[in-house]
Amino acid sequence: MDKNRLFWGSRRGMLELDLVLLPFLENVYPDLDQEDKERYWALLECEDQDMFGWFLKRKDPDDPEMLKIVTIIRNNTGLQE
């Protein structure tokens, strides 16, 4: 997926998600392996409210593949405990 599409896909309807996803895209995403990049692409198809709950650790995704990328984002964006 090209950088411009990723940027616009990472811009969400919630400022809170933008503050998580855009720094992740800029600082962490380039160094991910291909499988994790593809997980990120799948994450961008998810609903904002689901992502918000996942990033705040209110719940975890049911899909183990989605949980992998959510955990990577949590661990790399100041969301760790």
Side-chain angles (χ1 to χ4, degrees), residues 7-24:
F7 174 79
W8 287 107
S10 298
R11 299 271 329 258
R12 308 306 290 198
M14 298 176 66
L15 175 62
E16 295 86 352
L17 291 179
D18 289 351
L19 294 174
V20 171
L21 294 176
L22 294 174
F24 178 83

Side-chain angles (χ1 to χ4, degrees), residues 7-76:
F7 174 79
W8 287 107
S10 298
R11 299 271 329 258
R12 308 306 290 198
M14 298 176 66
L15 175 62
E16 295 86 352
L17 291 179
D18 289 351
L19 294 174
V20 171
L21 294 176
L22 294 174
F24 178 83
L25 180 64
E26 183 176 327
N27 299 317
V28 179
Y29 177 87
D31 296 325
L32 294 177
D33 62 36
Q34 185 62 32
E35 287 142 353
D36 288 332
K37 286 180 178 180
E38 291 174 14
R39 288 182 185 104
Y40 185 77
W41 304 343
L43 175 74
L44 296 179
E45 299 298 319
C46 295
E47 296 292 327
D48 289 357
Q49 291 299 325
D50 290 335
M51 283 193 271
F52 186 70
W54 297 337
F55 296 148
L56 292 181
K57 299 183 181 178
R58 293 182 179 161
K59 58 185 176 177
D60 288 328
D62 294 329
D63 179 356
E65 294 299 309
M66 192 61 60
L67 181 57
K68 287 179 185 178
I69 191 63
V70 167
T71 301
I72 291 169
I73 292 169
R74 287 173 177 168
N75 291 338
N76 287 283

